[in-house]
Amino acid sequence: MAATLGFISGRVTQADGLTAIIGAAVAAHPDPGGTFGSALTDINGDYTITGLTPGTYRAQAQAEGFATQWYNGKPVHHLSDHVVRRLENARDQHG
């Protein structure tokens, strides 16, 4: 019997939590035994990474001009794990 595939979806915004980041790259890095997946955000900052085997993932969000953010221990189920990603402007973090 084949495993049920799942997905992670969410929104990437600037640190204010409101302004969408268009074209941000979001990647799901599996713990051992999982399936890597990635997606780009749309005009609203939304993304969906599909085809993921159930398990725990480290999610990464990055966009030009912003600091890369990591989120550990995101579970993937057959239902969506709706996660909001907030990226901080790289120049704000470095001085």
Side-chain angles (χ1 to χ4, degrees), residues 80-94:
S80 172
D81 177 28
H82 184 78
V83 180
V84 175
R85 310 274 179 246
R86 292 193 180 132
L87 297 182
E88 295 183 21
N89 193 301
R91 65 180 165 267
D92 290 343
Q93 284 205 341
H94 300 294

Side-chain angles (χ1 to χ4, degrees), residues 18-51:
L18 301 173
T19 307
I21 298 178
I22 301 167
V26 181
H29 299 269
D31 281 345
T35 306
F36 174 83
S38 64
L40 296 175
T41 58
D42 64 16
I43 193 167
N44 298 312
D46 294 329
Y47 69 90
T48 301
I49 302 172
T50 60

Side-chain angles (χ1 to χ4, degrees), residues 65-79:
F66 295 89
T68 299
Q69 299 292 312
W70 284 92
Y71 304 88
N72 294 321
K74 298 299 173 196
V76 172
H77 311 283
H78 63 281
L79 300 175

